[in-house]
């Protein structure tokens, strides 16, 4: 699951140092010592992260590509159908970019993983957003079972669908901006282009706005689930910033881009 080129000295190479740790385990039976270093830890956590996310993103990208390839034969040329089609394309763009990001590290592409989320909380709030954890992690919030059931004029539903599609476009734009550096829980260099010029968390903001529309207009989410998503993604943003702020480049970026979510608001 790893394609990689690097110019790092061997002592700083996280995978080489984790390999050295594994070799030292055998030496314990001969009275040796376990080798462990910060590079070993980074190597271990990076491998765990890749083992979790690589299969997910690759399978989603393949499934998305298959679905998108069939759409031209079944597409109805109306606003709702086209919006759905574009949404699937945007999701395919996102998963394809992230699949590549998890698979490939390259010094030439400036996509080396420099550090990884150091706290259990940061890992938990990230992983609960993905299968299999998201199938049960949000169930306690379903006790707040309020759901909007108001009927709106047809124009409202059309406008909401178009807005959601545009927000999925922003979501995909954020992934394109990350490019080769796309992956969760990591610092692979600070990105300050695309929508990251205006907001430090454009993808999370787009998702939360989509879920708010699904709750308020379409009644597809309960109030409890929307609150859960708001809390979890808020914590994801907070833990990510706490991690990335160890990098002076991110501290400079925070001064450059003031807004965490919506420019001019928050």
């Amino acid at each position: 699951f790893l394609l990689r080129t690097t110019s790092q000295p061997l002592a700083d190479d996280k995978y080489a140092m984790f390999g050295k740790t594994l070799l030292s385990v055998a030496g314990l039976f001969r009275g040796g010592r376990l080798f462990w270093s910060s590079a070993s830890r980074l190597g271990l956590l990076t491998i765990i992260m890749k083992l979790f996310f690589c299969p997910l993103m690759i399978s989603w990208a393949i499934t998305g590509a298959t679905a998108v390839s069939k759409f031209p034969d079944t597409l109805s040329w109306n606003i709702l159908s086209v919006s759905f089609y574009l949404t699937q394309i945007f999701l395919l763009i996102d998963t394809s970019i992230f699949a590549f990001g998890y698979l490939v590290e390259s010094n030439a592409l400036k996509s080396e993983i420099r550090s990884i989320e150091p706290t259990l909380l940061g890992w938990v709030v990230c992983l609960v957003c993905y299968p299999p954890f998201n199938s049960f992690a949000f169930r306690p919030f379903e006790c707040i079972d309020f759901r909007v059931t108001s009927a709106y004029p047809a124009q409202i539903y059309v406008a909401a669908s178009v807005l959601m599609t545009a927000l999925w476009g922003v979501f995909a734009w954020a992934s394109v901006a990350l490019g080769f550096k796309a992956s969760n829980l990591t610092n692979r260099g600070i990105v300050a282009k695309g929508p990251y010029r205006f907001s430090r968390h454009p993808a999370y903001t787009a998702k939360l706005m989509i879920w708010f529309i699904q709750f308020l207009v379409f009644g597809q989410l309960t109030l409890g689930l929307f609150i859960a998503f708001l809390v979890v993604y808020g914590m994801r943003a907070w833990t990510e910033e706490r991690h990335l702020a160890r990098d002076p480049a991110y501290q400079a970026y925070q001064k450059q881009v003031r807004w965490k979510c919506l420019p001019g608001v928050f």
Side-chain angles (χ1 to χ4, degrees):
F1 63 92
L2 174 67
L3 302 173
R4 183 166 175 270
T5 61
T6 182
S7 59
Q8 285 184 320
L10 190 61
D12 296 328
D13 186 283
K14 54 185 175 290
Y15 300 111
M17 291 301 98
F18 179 63
K20 186 176 179 179
T21 296
L22 292 179
L23 291 174
S24 72
V25 172
L28 293 176
F29 299 99
R30 300 191 300 270
R33 292 184 177 182
L34 177 69
F35 173 80
W36 187 252
S37 68
S38 58
S40 300
R41 180 179 182 275
L42 178 57
L44 172 61
L45 292 178
T46 300
I47 289 170
I48 292 172
M49 180 270 295
K50 286 175 178 283
L51 284 172
F52 180 83
F53 282 109
C54 275
L56 273 181
M57 294 300 160
I58 293 171
S59 64
W60 286 350
I62 292 172
T63 301
T66 302
V68 167
S69 68
K70 295 178 180 178
F71 276 165
D73 298 328
T74 59
L75 183 63
S76 300
W77 291 100
N78 58 67
I79 291 178
L80 294 180
S81 183
V82 171
S83 293
F84 177 75
Y85 183 42
L86 289 175
T87 297
Q88 299 309 304
I89 291 176
F90 292 145
L91 290 173
L92 174 59
I93 291 170
D94 169 71
T95 53
S96 299
I97 289 172
F98 270 80
F100 184 89
Y102 287 117
L103 283 169
V104 178
E105 282 187 69
S106 171
N107 185 60
L109 298 176
K110 299 180 180 179
S111 63
E112 285 274 358
I113 294 175
R114 305 174 185 182
S115 66
I116 199 161
E117 171 59 46
T119 67
L120 178 61
L121 176 62
W123 279 75
V124 168
V125 295
C126 176
L127 296 184
V128 296
C129 298
Y130 295 90
F133 307 110
N134 62 356
S135 63
F136 57 83
F138 295 104
R139 285 181 184 173
F141 294 90
E142 293 178 357
C143 63
I144 308 176
D145 196 26
F146 175 76
R147 190 186 297 267
V148 175
T149 57
S150 302
Y152 298 99
Q155 296 90 333
I156 297 295
Y157 292 111
V158 171
S161 295
V162 172
L163 178 56
M164 286 172 58
T165 303
L167 289 168
W168 280 121
V170 172
F171 179 77
W173 184 24
S175 298
V176 171
L178 290 174
F180 302 124
K181 299 178 180 180
S183 59
N184 284 300
L185 298 168
T186 58
N187 178 7
R188 306 176 77 164
I190 307 307
V191 173
K193 60 184 179 180
Y196 291 95
R197 291 175 295 170
F198 314 108
S199 166
R200 301 206 295 267
H201 301 282
Y204 293 170
T205 303
K207 270 189 171 182
L208 288 170
M209 292 178 69
I210 289 166
W211 288 327
F212 181 69
I213 294 170
Q214 289 178 331
F215 161 69
L216 185 65
V217 178
F218 294 99
Q220 295 171 331
L221 293 180
T222 64
L223 177 60
L225 278 177
F226 177 70
I227 291 173
F229 293 156
L230 189 63
V231 170
V232 168
Y233 275 80
M235 293 181 70
R236 284 187 70 176
W238 177 69
T239 55
E240 285 178 12
E241 294 219 351
R242 185 178 59 176
H243 167 213
L244 294 174
R246 298 181 176 192
D247 186 337
Y250 192 76
Q251 296 174 20
Y253 170 69
Q254 287 177 304
K255 295 176 182 178
Q256 175 188 343
V257 179
R258 293 174 51 201
W259 309 108
K260 291 184 178 181
C261 299
L262 283 176
V265 179
F266 174 70

